[in-house]
Amino acid sequence: MINGILAAEELIASRVAHIFRTYPKQITAAVAVLLLSAGGGAFAVASLGPDAADLPVKQVFEAVTPLSFADQVEALDNHSFTLFRTEITRSSDTAEALLQRLGIADPAAASFLRGNSDARSAFLSRAGRTVTAEATQENALQKLSARWIPDGDGNFKRVVIEKTPKGFQTKSETDTLTPGTRLASGIVRTSLFAATDDAGIPDAVASQLADVFSGDVDFRSLRKGDRFAVVYETFDADGQTLRTGRVLSAEFESGGKLHQALWYQESGQKGAYYRPNGDSLRRAYLSSPVEFTRVSSGFAMRLHPILNSWRQHHGIDFAAPTGTPVRAVGDGTVEFAGTQSGYGNIVILKHRNNQETAYAHLSRIDVKVGQSVSQSQTVGAVGSTGWATGPHLHFEFRVNGEYHDPATIAQQDGGAPISAASRPAFERLAVATRAELSAAFSVVQASAD
């Protein structure tokens, strides 16, 4: 019950903050008018209204005949209702398995789902699609809907199976995604990613949050009780979020120190994250070339797993499943893309100031020598080629040919502050952002209490 109340509070706070973000001047003026008119109204009532003690009192009595128990039972028997359930499809789904997870017990529906080619293609052997079922109180299927994003054109696909007097029928539609924003917050108890899971924040948003504050917060040594709030874009279909977008603003409190960030795009330039005072949060390099992973071996002496001797480990190993995308940590040019002895498949990028990054043991390479790449662009995928005992990414950072600890790479600044011409608009946005994040923090604080 408490979680439900807090979720409702967070939703209301998110909507109120969104309105404040969109119409800050109008709301300020409206509040001022309301306060002035409220003051005048109070004076008029106090001066002219009658004393409540002098008002007449009237009692009204009316006989009420309750329904008999039999009548109540009959009314319940005649009452019908519809059940709504939502699930995510799995690649292993059969018609029976999917309907069972949705609580549907309807052999005719299962038979139709198996036998109709459009229905089978939309609902079965497809992972990650949002499915909604409408059922009778006897768990018989009335309507089954699947929604997914087929490409990046801003639309989504909807396939609906509906029961009619003539049996089940299928229709296919294309509709436009509805953009929106969502506000969420959480408290760290073990790790950032465990906290974002608890808060229902998607992995893609959690990874952005880590990237935004990578130069200010050491996410490997967070403290219990550290807290965060985030506002991010959503793209919805029929009221359900199918995809998330960019983090618009965020706040992270770690070790008693507060860090804030908001996204802003100056005219004719790329957007970036800034502190409320206008300083850029953009770093020359991301803190990690692999999203949502863990360090399995650091920049230190270690017992080599294959050579069985103590050697300096010249990089950081990130444990991740084969095929996990590997991204460039900074803007650069591909200096090498191929195979090098123990490194296996490796990509080496040349960056500013004679700095290089290397990405080794890749299962595939997605770039070519001489190609320009931008920060966060995919250069390959995690694998176990070369001298590797299992799938992981070996990542190196070199300066003038010498190895440096990659853990320090995210500390290099890479952006300019807000220009003087953009500062008035930026400061208005910063005011609205503080209101949003304050609303989110009030919810997370209530949860902690």
Side-chain angles (χ1 to χ4, degrees):
M1 177 66 73
I2 293 176
N3 290 337
I5 293 173
L6 292 174
E9 289 177 350
E10 189 166 294
L11 178 60
I12 293 171
S14 180
R15 290 178 177 174
V16 171
H18 174 67
I19 294 171
F20 188 91
R21 183 188 186 95
T22 309
Y23 309 105
K25 289 184 175 180
Q26 294 90 328
I27 291 177
T28 302
V31 169
V33 171
L34 179 62
L35 290 175
L36 290 172
S37 62
F43 178 82
V45 170
S47 302
L48 304 176
D51 191 331
D54 297 332
L55 294 175
V57 177
K58 181 185 291 185
Q59 292 182 325
V60 177
F61 297 93
E62 186 174 344
V64 177
T65 303
L67 289 174
S68 68
F69 179 74
D71 291 337
Q72 294 181 51
V73 171
E74 183 180 358
L76 289 173
D77 287 340
N78 293 331
H79 178 72
S80 62
F81 53 86
T82 301
L83 301 171
F84 294 86
R85 301 187 181 100
T86 300
E87 262 291 345
I88 302 297
T89 58
R90 303 172 185 174
S91 58
S92 59
D93 272 338
T94 62
E96 286 77 10
L98 176 60
L99 292 178
Q100 184 178 21
R101 288 207 313 279
L102 288 164
I104 304 296
D106 192 332
S111 177
F112 180 84
L113 199 53
R114 285 194 307 270
N116 183 276
S117 59
D118 291 338
R120 191 168 57 248
S121 175
F123 291 89
L124 304 183
S125 302
R126 305 285 183 177
R129 292 184 177 177
T130 302
V131 175
T132 302
E134 298 180 22
T136 67
Q137 60 200 54
E138 290 82 18
N139 294 317
L141 183 65
Q142 293 291 97
K143 182 187 289 187
L144 189 65
S145 306
R147 304 169 190 83
W148 70 93
I149 301 174
D151 47 46
D153 64 357
N155 296 324
F156 72 95
K157 187 77 174 289
R158 182 196 300 113
V159 172
V160 180
I161 297 174
E162 191 164 11
K163 190 172 186 178
T164 71
K166 297 181 180 181
F168 289 104
Q169 293 184 356
T170 302
K171 62 179 178 180
S172 179
E173 304 165 327
T174 299
D175 210 338
T176 304
L177 288 166
T178 303
T181 58
R182 184 160 299 173
L183 182 152
S185 55
I187 298 177
V188 174
R189 307 194 189 282
T190 55
S191 70
L192 170 64
F193 297 129
T196 54
D197 281 346
D198 291 342
I201 297 173
D203 291 357
V205 175
S207 294
Q208 287 184 65
L209 185 65
D211 285 342
V212 169
F213 293 115
S214 61
D216 294 332
V217 178
D218 184 357
F219 289 102
R220 292 172 296 180
S221 58
L222 294 177
R223 302 179 184 180
K224 184 176 181 180
D226 287 353
R227 58 181 188 164
F228 59 88
V230 60
V231 178
Y232 59 93
E233 295 174 319
T234 61
F235 297 91
D236 301 340
D238 300 334
Q240 295 180 333
T241 298
L242 294 190
R243 181 168 67 85
T244 58
R246 178 181 290 118
V247 167
L248 299 175
S249 60
E251 196 165 84
F252 206 104
E253 185 179 290
S254 179
K257 189 173 182 180
L258 189 64
H259 307 277
Q260 295 176 316
L262 65 149
W263 172 267
Y264 188 80
Q265 184 170 7
E266 295 194 70
S267 178
Q269 299 185 28
K270 288 184 178 180
Y273 291 99
Y274 297 88
R275 295 187 176 90
N277 65 0
D279 289 343
S280 175
L281 272 167
R282 189 181 192 277
R283 300 292 173 174
Y285 301 105
L286 301 175
S287 59
S288 171
V290 183
E291 293 183 357
F292 232 72
T293 186
R294 64 180 177 85
V295 173
S296 56
S297 183
F299 186 82
M301 293 293 293
R302 67 165 186 174
L303 182 64
H304 195 282
I306 293 179
L307 301 178
N308 200 30
S309 60
W310 284 94
R311 296 188 174 205
Q312 171 66 37
H313 189 227
H314 293 303
I316 289 179
D317 289 347
F318 294 90
T322 298
T324 301
V326 174
R327 56 186 182 169
V329 295
D331 299 340
T333 304
V334 180
E335 189 173 68
F336 183 87
T339 302
Q340 285 186 2
S341 60
Y343 286 114
N345 293 332
I346 182 173
V347 171
I348 300 175
L349 302 182
K350 185 79 172 180
H351 305 282
R352 64 178 189 174
N353 301 327
N354 292 321
Q355 297 177 347
E356 295 178 341
T357 54
Y359 312 78
H361 305 315
L362 302 174
S363 61
R364 72 167 192 270
I365 293 174
D366 296 337
V367 292
K368 298 179 179 179
V369 173
Q371 178 181 339
S372 294
V373 297
S374 57
Q375 189 177 78
S376 296
Q377 182 176 334
T378 299
V379 298
V382 170
S384 53
T385 57
W387 294 351
T389 56
H392 70 281
L393 174 73
H394 175 76
F395 175 62
E396 293 181 355
F397 175 47
R398 309 167 185 171
V399 181
N400 292 318
E402 296 184 359
Y403 298 101
H404 286 250
D405 185 356
T408 65
I409 197 170
Q411 298 173 5
Q412 300 184 40
D413 292 332
I418 287 290
S419 65
S422 298
R423 186 163 289 276
F426 174 82
E427 290 181 348
R428 288 194 295 271
L429 178 62
V431 170
T433 294
R434 280 193 288 269
E436 288 178 322
L437 297 175
S438 177
F441 263 147
S442 67
V443 173
V444 77
Q445 185 60 47
S447 176
D449 294 341

